[in-house]
């Protein structure tokens, strides 16, 4: 997944908020996938839904892999 600067992430968040305010919730929801999930949240999601379901999702796990290592996607 793409690596964004804080400024770029902020712009994406602004766009998400704008789309939500305009009632374009589906577009806003899809745009959220551009932002990496925080590692602790990715771990919690992995614990709840399991590794295989997590890997099938569109969630950007790059920060979790960076923190926990490539083996995190195996075990």
């Amino acid at each position: 997944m793409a690596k964004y600067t804080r400024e770029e992430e902020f712009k994406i968040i602004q766009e998400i908020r704008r789309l939500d305010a305009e009632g374009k919730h589906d577009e806003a929801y899809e745009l959220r996938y551009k932002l990496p999930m925080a590692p602790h949240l990715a771990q919690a999601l992995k614990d709840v839904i399991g590794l295989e379901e997590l890997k099938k999702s569109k969630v950007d796990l790059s920060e979790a892999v960076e923190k926990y290592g490539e083996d995190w996607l195996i075990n």
Side-chain angles (χ1 to χ4, degrees):
M1 295 288 176
K3 188 88 168 167
Y4 297 104
T5 65
R6 297 291 283 171
E7 183 178 290
E8 290 169 327
E9 287 181 353
F10 184 69
K11 287 179 181 179
I12 292 169
I13 292 167
Q14 285 180 313
E15 181 66 8
I16 290 167
R17 293 186 69 204
R18 183 188 67 75
L19 290 167
D20 271 332
E22 292 176 0
K24 298 176 182 177
H25 305 295
D26 290 340
E27 289 177 52
Y29 192 79
E30 287 297 316
L31 192 54
R32 285 179 177 90
Y33 289 122
K34 291 183 89 173
L35 298 173
M37 181 175 277
H40 70 282
L41 296 176
Q43 181 62 54
L45 192 57
K46 179 181 174 184
D47 292 343
V48 171
I49 68 170
L51 179 59
E52 291 309 311
E53 287 301 313
L54 183 61
K55 288 187 334 187
K56 288 184 210 172
S57 73
K58 296 182 192 177
V59 175
D60 180 342
L61 302 170
S62 60
E63 288 185 3
V65 171
E66 187 176 308
K67 180 174 182 175
Y68 302 126
E70 289 290 331
D71 286 346
W72 184 79
L73 287 174
I74 299 168
N75 302 323

